[in-house]
């Protein structure tokens, strides 16, 4: 029990605290963990003019402005759920009936176990601030409205304004920024930034224009192209006038107008004009306009080309007549005179006689127009028909040459006319034609007359008879195979028929059939399985070898589904693709007539017609069962060999055979197959990441990602985002969702290097991931489950960090499930020789050098050194020596390792090494006047590849230019 004196003392303190709270001018209130507000001080009660019981619990919401109740209640409930401080602005009803704005603030008080036991809150009257903000908002809106009208006017007109002085642009209107695709909130661009926006082809002219403005104060009007940041090209017309003070230009003011649409329309008109001109050129058709009353004649460019006049000549009727063939001038002049007198349309053909003696055939057509004033004009076209006339002449000669049989007949079957080739083909004379004894319907055998009737019906319906093969009877009764095609004359019951003698073709086809039979017999004797498949997968032919294998006749193979003879595991390989054909090549197992499966290599080759359509698929199958069995034996042998190699080189990247290293490798082999967390400790440069990769490679997660994170390199502000990712908008600059390293490593391994550098809050988050295997992205509320193996490494003493509070004890317990301590190089003296040989070979191959041996003194020196930088230091020394040395025997300058018995001197010694390397390279550059490559370059003198030397020059920040003229700046 508490002594009475202590109880009284507590009551006195409570009463005093109550009095203090009631006396302060602030509005104070308290609440329970469930949100029930149980106390309001007297200042609160006087403010609302009510008793305490009228506000307790949730009754206080009756004094909140109706529009603010929902928001403040939701915010209060959210704080109750999360334990986060409560901060909200809401209007409160004062005792005089006026609502006033208040800022409400509550914080939670927790007991020793972290449980909330009380909420304490205060409210501050911010009405005056709110009214000031409202007045400022109204003033800003009025100013924005005025600016909006001006900006909107410029936006609608695509018009921007600017000012420019010798120092550059000092003003751009918002629309001018938008026209250039830039942010209106930024400063006007510098002169160079502006020129960078100009199209490369217009940039020089605009730069010259700007340079001229300073020399001569004159207005200008220029149109140029700009390129927006998104690559869009716009045409901008820029107009400017100088502002002159004391007869001297002070600045330029002007406007810029987006004329892209007008410019594109203009270009489109030019393009269409070019298309019309090109179409006239390709069709050899020119256009002309002729006004008979004043004799004006206008030609297009193609008309000039047809008449072969220079475009500088003004065309006239006389210039047309001069080009006409003498035999056609009189008729052409009649056409011209009649059109001039009557104003009627005209059309005629005539010849041109060119100065070099060539003749052109021309077709002219014109349509007469008359305007309201009675002026007549002819609009016409003139076409070069020389090629057509030449073709007609060739056809005429073909008919006369007798290559084709041609006859003219009517639909009643009477032959009206025939050329000599047709008569000789059928052994008839012209007297038989004249006597009327020849009727083309009587020349067909009885079995072909039905096809002739169908052809005649087709000609009457369409005007033409599609060619078809048939036979004609000769006068002696023999038959001649022909190809017959015909067409009716327009508006007539007569037509012309063309007859081609197919006798030679038929004889050739018979020969082909004989060859096909021979080829089929050859296919039957080939050991391969050969088949011919149609485009619709219909079976056409199979050779004897294929039929014998399946035990089928050709008819059975054509009608049966042989898919059932394919091994079930190989069905998908035979499937026809979306292009309508089988795969070009595949391997599959086919079941023979004896029930046994054998492997076949199947190749498919298409046969296409002249239109590119597939008409046949040729399929060839080769028995590869023996090869498959040999491959399987070889595969099994390779698997066994790989297992042996795998055992022999279990840790390919870790070089050494010392007892300390073998102990580490033994621990790796034991822990790798498990999923346990591993903590790798050791000095800097001992290869802790190689150990981590070896654990991952030997685990069942080796096929999944290995994500390496250097905890010391992560910025403190971004460490959560880097490890766990963030959502879009989680913080400034988070423009899109980002996946964190733990999520990237899902299913694999994450390596946390320098884990001792993590801050306490990051350690707590990492502890949760290790315990629960889950986390949330920054700014996200969704819990993400991950399956990640964690391997951590550090060169710090974590036990010492525990003592000074820099590292969590519970996190260390979670990480230190299976510790691996990597020994320093000074404890692995037996490995130094192996490591030296490994690194020498590695960097010699990389630089193209041939190192025959290693100097014994160098080996003794390297083995006697304590290597405070461990393997990394050894690696750097060897790489530096390979670069600087030109000999084929590897050696190391002893001065590089002097006074390096502690890490304290490492940094200063590295500077000495860097200076030594710099001096060697600078001396070579000075000798070659800054030249790196080539037979006389610095790389050749140093006997290293030019690319390697370039890398070292960049790393040492050496300026090659200072050596070009034999001079060198002082260091």
């Amino acid at each position: 029990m508490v002594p009475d004196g202590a109880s009284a003392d507590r009551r006195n303190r409570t009463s005093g605290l109550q009095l203090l709270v009631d006396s302060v001018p602030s509005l104070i209130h308290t609440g329970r963990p469930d949100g029930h507000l149980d106390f309001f001080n007297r200042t609160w009660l006087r403010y609302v003019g009510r008793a305490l019981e009228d506000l307790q619990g949730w009754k206080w919401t009756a004094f909140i402005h109706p529009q603010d109740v929902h928001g403040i209640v939701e915010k209060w409930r959210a704080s109750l759920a999360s334990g986060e401080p409560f901060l909200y602005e809401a209007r409160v009803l004062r005792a005089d009936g006026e609502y006033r704005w208040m800022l409400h603030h509550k914080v939670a008080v927790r007991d020793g176990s972290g449980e909330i036991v009380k909420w304490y809150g205060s409210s501050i009257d911010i009405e005056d601030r709110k009214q000031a903000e409202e007045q400022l908002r109204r003033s800003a809106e009025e100013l924005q409205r005025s600016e909006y009208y001006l900006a909107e006017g410029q936006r609608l007109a695509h018009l921007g304004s600017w000012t420019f002085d010798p120092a550059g642009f000092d003003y751009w209107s918002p629309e001018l920024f938008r026209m250039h695709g830039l942010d209106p909130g930024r400063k006007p661009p510098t002169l160079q930034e502006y020129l960078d926006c100009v199209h490369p082809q217009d940039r020089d002219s605009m730069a010259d224009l700007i340079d001229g403005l300073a020399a001569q104060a004159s207005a200008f009007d220029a149109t140029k192209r700009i390129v927006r940041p998104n690559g869009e090209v716009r045409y901008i017309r820029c107009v400017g006038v100088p502002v002159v003070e004391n007869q001297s230009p002070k600045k330029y003011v002007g406007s810029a107008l987006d004329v892209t649409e007008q410019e594109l329309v203009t270009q489109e008109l030019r393009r269409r004009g070019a298309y019309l001109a090109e179409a006239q050129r390709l069709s050899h058709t020119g256009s002309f306009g002729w006004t008979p009353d004043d004799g004006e004649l206008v030609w297009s460019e193609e008309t000039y080309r047809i008449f072969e006049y220079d475009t500088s000549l003004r065309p006239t009727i006389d210039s047309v007549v001069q080009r006409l063939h003498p035999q056609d001038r009189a008729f052409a002049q009649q056409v011209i005179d009649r059109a001039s007198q009557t104003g009627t349309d005209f059309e005629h053909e005539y010849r041109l006689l060119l100065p070099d003696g060539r003749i052109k055939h021309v077709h002219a057509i014109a349509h007469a127009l008359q305007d309201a004033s009675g002026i007549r004009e002819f609009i016409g076209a003139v076409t070069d028909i020389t090629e057509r006339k030449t073709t007609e002449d060739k056809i005429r000669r073909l008919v006369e040459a007798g290559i084709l049989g041609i006859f003219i007949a009517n639909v009643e079957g009477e032959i009206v006319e025939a050329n000599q080739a047709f008569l000789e083909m059928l052994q008839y004379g012209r007297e038989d034609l004249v006597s009327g004894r020849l009727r083309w319907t009587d020349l067909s055998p009885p079995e072909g007359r039905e096809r002739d009737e169908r052809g005649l019906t087709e000609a009457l319906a369409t005007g033409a008879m599609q060619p078809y093969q048939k036979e004609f009877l000769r006068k002696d009764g023999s038959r001649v195979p022909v190809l017959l095609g015909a067409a009716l004359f327009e508006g007539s019951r007569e037509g012309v028929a063309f007859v081609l003698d197919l006798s030679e073709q038929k004889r050739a086809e018979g020969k082909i059939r004989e060859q096909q039979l021979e080829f089929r017999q050859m296919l039957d004797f080939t050991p391969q399985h050969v088949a011919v498949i149609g485009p619709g997968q219909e079976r056409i032919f199979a050779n004897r070898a294929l039929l014998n294998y399946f035990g089928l006749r050709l008819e059975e193979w054509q009608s049966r589904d042989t898919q059932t003879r394919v091994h079930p595991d190989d069905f998908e390989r035979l499937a026809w693709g979306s292009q309508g054909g089988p795969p070009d090549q595949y391997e599959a197992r086919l079941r023979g007539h004896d029930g046994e499966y054998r492997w076949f290599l199947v190749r498919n080759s298409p046969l296409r017609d002249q239109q590119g359509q597939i008409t046949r698929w040729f399929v060839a199958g080769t028995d590869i069962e023996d090869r498959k069995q040999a491959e399987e034996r070889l595969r099994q042998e390779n698997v066994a060999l790989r297992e042996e190699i795998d055992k022999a080189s279990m840790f390919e990247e870790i070089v050494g055979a010392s007892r300390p290293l073998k102990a580490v490798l033994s621990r790796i082999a034991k822990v790798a197959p498990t999923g346990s967390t591993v903590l790798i400790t050791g000095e800097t440069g001992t290869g802790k990441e190689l150990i981590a990769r070896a654990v991952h490679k030997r685990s069942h997660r080796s096929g999944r990602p290995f994500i390496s994170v250097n905890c010391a390199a992560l910025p403190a502000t971004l460490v959560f985002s880097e490890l766990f990712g963030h959502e879009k908008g989680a913080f400034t600059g988070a423009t899109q969702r980002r996946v964190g390293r733990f999520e990237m490593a899902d299913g694999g391994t994450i390596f946390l290097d320098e884990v001792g550098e993590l801050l306490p809050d990051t350690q707590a988050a990492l502890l949760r991931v290790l315990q629960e295997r889950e986390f949330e992205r920054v700014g996200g509320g969704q819990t993400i489950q991950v399956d990640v193996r964690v391997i951590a490494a550090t060169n710090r003493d974590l036990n010492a960090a525990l003592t000074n509070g820099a590292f969590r004890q519970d996190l260390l317990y979670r990480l230190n499930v299976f510790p691996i301590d990597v020994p320093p190089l000074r404890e692995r003296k037996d490995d130094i020789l192996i490591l030296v040989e490994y690194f020498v070979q590695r960097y010699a191959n990389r630089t193209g050098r041939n190192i025959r041996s290693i100097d014994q003194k160098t080996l003794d020196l390297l083995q006697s050194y304590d290597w405070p930088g461990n393997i990394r230091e050894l690696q750097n020394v060897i790489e530096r020596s390979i670069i600087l040395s030109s000999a084929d025997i590897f050696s190391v300058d002893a001065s590089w390792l002097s006074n390096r018995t502690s890490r304290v001197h490492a940094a200063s010694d590295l500077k000495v090494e860097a200076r030594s390397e710099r001096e060697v390279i600078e001396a070579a550059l000075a000798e070659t006047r800054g030249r790196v490559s080539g037979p006389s370059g610095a790389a050749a003198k140093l006997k290293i590849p030019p690319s390697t030397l370039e890398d070292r020059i960049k790393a040492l920040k050496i300026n090659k230019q200072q050596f070009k003229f034999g001079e060198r700046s002082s260091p």
Side-chain angles (χ1 to χ4, degrees), residues 563-587:
Q563 288 280 343
T564 57
R565 297 180 177 271
V566 179
H567 195 283
D569 294 342
D570 301 335
F571 274 142
E572 294 183 358
R573 304 182 185 182
L574 280 67
W576 282 41
S578 58
Q579 302 299 322
D584 293 339
Q585 179 175 304
Y586 59 87
E587 295 179 356

Short mmCIF file of all heavy atoms in Angstrom, two decimals, residues 563-587:
data_model
loop_
_atom_site.label_atom_id
_atom_site.label_comp_id
_atom_site.label_asym_id
_atom_site.label_seq_id
_atom_site.Cartn_x
_atom_site.Cartn_y
_atom_site.Cartn_z
N GLN A 563 0.06 -39.21 -88.13
CA GLN A 563 0.45 -38.53 -86.89
C GLN A 563 0.57 -39.53 -85.74
O GLN A 563 1.36 -39.34 -84.82
CB GLN A 563 -0.59 -37.45 -86.53
CG GLN A 563 -0.56 -36.23 -87.44
CD GLN A 563 0.55 -35.28 -87.07
OE1 GLN A 563 1.07 -35.36 -85.98
NE2 GLN A 563 0.92 -34.38 -87.97
N THR A 564 -0.23 -40.61 -85.81
CA THR A 564 -0.19 -41.61 -84.73
C THR A 564 1.12 -42.36 -84.71
O THR A 564 1.44 -43.04 -83.75
CB THR A 564 -1.34 -42.61 -84.90
OG1 THR A 564 -1.24 -43.22 -86.19
CG2 THR A 564 -2.69 -41.90 -84.79
N ARG A 565 1.92 -42.24 -85.79
CA ARG A 565 3.21 -42.92 -85.85
C ARG A 565 4.35 -42.03 -85.35
O ARG A 565 5.50 -42.43 -85.38
CB ARG A 565 3.50 -43.39 -87.28
CG ARG A 565 2.48 -44.42 -87.78
CD ARG A 565 2.79 -44.86 -89.20
NE ARG A 565 1.86 -45.89 -89.65
CZ ARG A 565 2.03 -47.20 -89.48
NH1 ARG A 565 3.11 -47.63 -88.86
NH2 ARG A 565 1.14 -48.06 -89.90
N VAL A 566 4.01 -40.80 -84.90
CA VAL A 566 5.02 -39.88 -84.36
C VAL A 566 5.05 -40.06 -82.85
O VAL A 566 4.02 -40.20 -82.20
CB VAL A 566 4.68 -38.42 -84.72
CG1 VAL A 566 5.72 -37.47 -84.13
CG2 VAL A 566 4.61 -38.26 -86.23
N HIS A 567 6.25 -40.05 -82.29
CA HIS A 567 6.38 -40.18 -80.83
C HIS A 567 5.61 -39.05 -80.15
O HIS A 567 5.69 -37.89 -80.59
CB HIS A 567 7.86 -40.12 -80.44
CG HIS A 567 8.13 -40.59 -79.04
ND1 HIS A 567 7.87 -39.82 -77.94
CD2 HIS A 567 8.63 -41.77 -78.57
CE1 HIS A 567 8.19 -40.48 -76.85
NE2 HIS A 567 8.65 -41.67 -77.20
N PRO A 568 4.84 -39.33 -79.08
CA PRO A 568 4.03 -38.28 -78.43
C PRO A 568 4.84 -37.06 -78.02
O PRO A 568 4.32 -35.94 -78.06
CB PRO A 568 3.43 -39.01 -77.22
CG PRO A 568 3.45 -40.46 -77.59
CD PRO A 568 4.64 -40.65 -78.46
N ASP A 569 6.10 -37.24 -77.64
CA ASP A 569 6.90 -36.10 -77.19
C ASP A 569 7.35 -35.22 -78.34
O ASP A 569 7.88 -34.12 -78.11
CB ASP A 569 8.15 -36.60 -76.44
CG ASP A 569 7.78 -37.30 -75.14
OD1 ASP A 569 6.63 -37.10 -74.67
OD2 ASP A 569 8.63 -38.05 -74.61
N ASP A 570 7.15 -35.68 -79.60
CA ASP A 570 7.65 -34.93 -80.75
C ASP A 570 6.54 -34.30 -81.58
O ASP A 570 6.81 -33.77 -82.66
CB ASP A 570 8.49 -35.85 -81.65
CG ASP A 570 9.67 -36.45 -80.90
OD1 ASP A 570 10.09 -35.83 -79.92
OD2 ASP A 570 10.14 -37.53 -81.30
N PHE A 571 5.26 -34.37 -81.10
CA PHE A 571 4.15 -33.84 -81.89
C PHE A 571 4.35 -32.36 -82.23
O PHE A 571 4.11 -31.93 -83.37
CB PHE A 571 2.83 -34.01 -81.13
CG PHE A 571 2.19 -35.36 -81.37
CD1 PHE A 571 1.53 -36.02 -80.34
CD2 PHE A 571 2.24 -35.96 -82.60
CE1 PHE A 571 0.94 -37.26 -80.54
CE2 PHE A 571 1.66 -37.20 -82.83
CZ PHE A 571 1.01 -37.85 -81.80
N GLU A 572 4.76 -31.57 -81.24
CA GLU A 572 4.84 -30.12 -81.44
C GLU A 572 5.88 -29.75 -82.50
O GLU A 572 5.78 -28.71 -83.13
CB GLU A 572 5.18 -29.43 -80.12
CG GLU A 572 4.07 -29.56 -79.08
CD GLU A 572 4.41 -28.78 -77.81
OE1 GLU A 572 5.51 -28.20 -77.77
OE2 GLU A 572 3.57 -28.78 -76.88
N ARG A 573 6.89 -30.58 -82.68
CA ARG A 573 7.92 -30.26 -83.67
C ARG A 573 7.39 -30.32 -85.09
O ARG A 573 7.92 -29.67 -85.99
CB ARG A 573 9.10 -31.22 -83.53
CG ARG A 573 9.71 -31.25 -82.12
CD ARG A 573 10.90 -32.20 -82.08
NE ARG A 573 11.42 -32.33 -80.73
CZ ARG A 573 12.47 -33.07 -80.40
NH1 ARG A 573 13.11 -33.74 -81.35
NH2 ARG A 573 12.88 -33.15 -79.16
N LEU A 574 6.32 -31.11 -85.31
CA LEU A 574 5.79 -31.28 -86.66
C LEU A 574 4.71 -30.27 -86.99
O LEU A 574 4.24 -30.20 -88.13
CB LEU A 574 5.19 -32.69 -86.83
CG LEU A 574 6.17 -33.85 -87.11
CD1 LEU A 574 7.06 -34.12 -85.92
CD2 LEU A 574 5.41 -35.09 -87.51
N ALA A 575 4.29 -29.48 -86.00
CA ALA A 575 3.14 -28.59 -86.21
C ALA A 575 3.45 -27.55 -87.28
O ALA A 575 4.53 -26.97 -87.31
CB ALA A 575 2.77 -27.91 -84.89
N TRP A 576 2.47 -27.30 -88.15
CA TRP A 576 2.60 -26.28 -89.18
C TRP A 576 2.47 -24.92 -88.51
O TRP A 576 1.60 -24.72 -87.66
CB TRP A 576 1.55 -26.45 -90.27
CG TRP A 576 1.89 -27.56 -91.23
CD1 TRP A 576 2.42 -28.76 -90.91
CD2 TRP A 576 1.76 -27.54 -92.64
NE1 TRP A 576 2.62 -29.52 -92.04
CE2 TRP A 576 2.21 -28.78 -93.13
CE3 TRP A 576 1.29 -26.61 -93.54
CZ2 TRP A 576 2.21 -29.10 -94.47
CZ3 TRP A 576 1.28 -26.92 -94.89
CH2 TRP A 576 1.75 -28.15 -95.36
N GLY A 577 3.32 -23.97 -88.91
CA GLY A 577 3.32 -22.66 -88.29
C GLY A 577 2.26 -21.75 -88.85
O GLY A 577 1.45 -22.12 -89.72
N SER A 578 2.26 -20.51 -88.35
CA SER A 578 1.26 -19.51 -88.76
C SER A 578 1.43 -19.11 -90.21
O SER A 578 0.51 -18.56 -90.81
CB SER A 578 1.37 -18.28 -87.85
OG SER A 578 2.68 -17.73 -87.92
N GLN A 579 2.62 -19.35 -90.81
CA GLN A 579 2.84 -18.99 -92.21
C GLN A 579 2.31 -20.04 -93.18
O GLN A 579 2.45 -19.90 -94.39
CB GLN A 579 4.35 -18.79 -92.45
CG GLN A 579 4.98 -17.73 -91.57
CD GLN A 579 4.38 -16.37 -91.77
OE1 GLN A 579 4.05 -15.99 -92.89
NE2 GLN A 579 4.21 -15.62 -90.70
N GLY A 580 1.70 -21.11 -92.65
CA GLY A 580 1.08 -22.10 -93.52
C GLY A 580 2.04 -23.13 -94.05
O GLY A 580 1.94 -23.53 -95.21
N GLY A 581 2.96 -23.57 -93.24
CA GLY A 581 3.90 -24.57 -93.69
C GLY A 581 4.59 -25.23 -92.51
O GLY A 581 4.55 -24.74 -91.39
N PRO A 582 5.23 -26.38 -92.75
CA PRO A 582 5.95 -27.08 -91.68
C PRO A 582 7.27 -26.39 -91.38
O PRO A 582 7.72 -25.53 -92.15
CB PRO A 582 6.17 -28.47 -92.27
CG PRO A 582 6.28 -28.21 -93.74
CD PRO A 582 5.34 -27.08 -94.04
N PRO A 583 7.93 -26.74 -90.27
CA PRO A 583 9.27 -26.19 -89.99
C PRO A 583 10.25 -26.58 -91.09
O PRO A 583 10.11 -27.61 -91.75
CB PRO A 583 9.65 -26.83 -88.65
CG PRO A 583 8.36 -27.31 -88.06
CD PRO A 583 7.47 -27.66 -89.21
N ASP A 584 11.26 -25.73 -91.31
CA ASP A 584 12.26 -26.02 -92.34
C ASP A 584 13.01 -27.32 -92.03
O ASP A 584 13.33 -28.08 -92.94
CB ASP A 584 13.26 -24.87 -92.44
CG ASP A 584 12.62 -23.62 -92.97
OD1 ASP A 584 11.55 -23.73 -93.60
OD2 ASP A 584 13.16 -22.53 -92.75
N GLN A 585 13.25 -27.57 -90.75
CA GLN A 585 14.01 -28.75 -90.37
C GLN A 585 13.68 -29.13 -88.93
O GLN A 585 13.51 -28.25 -88.09
CB GLN A 585 15.51 -28.47 -90.50
CG GLN A 585 16.42 -29.63 -90.12
CD GLN A 585 17.87 -29.30 -90.39
OE1 GLN A 585 18.25 -28.96 -91.49
NE2 GLN A 585 18.68 -29.41 -89.36
N TYR A 586 13.55 -30.39 -88.65
CA TYR A 586 13.31 -30.83 -87.28
C TYR A 586 13.73 -32.29 -87.16
O TYR A 586 13.90 -33.00 -88.16
CB TYR A 586 11.83 -30.67 -86.89
CG TYR A 586 10.85 -31.45 -87.75
CD1 TYR A 586 10.52 -32.77 -87.46
CD2 TYR A 586 10.26 -30.85 -88.87
CE1 TYR A 586 9.63 -33.47 -88.25
CE2 TYR A 586 9.37 -31.54 -89.66
CZ TYR A 586 9.05 -32.86 -89.36
OH TYR A 586 8.17 -33.56 -90.13
N GLU A 587 13.90 -32.71 -85.92
CA GLU A 587 14.23 -34.10 -85.62
C GLU A 587 13.07 -34.70 -84.84
O GLU A 587 12.54 -34.08 -83.92
CB GLU A 587 15.53 -34.19 -84.80
CG GLU A 587 16.75 -33.72 -85.57
CD GLU A 587 18.01 -33.80 -84.72
OE1 GLU A 587 17.89 -34.15 -83.53
OE2 GLU A 587 19.10 -33.53 -85.25
#
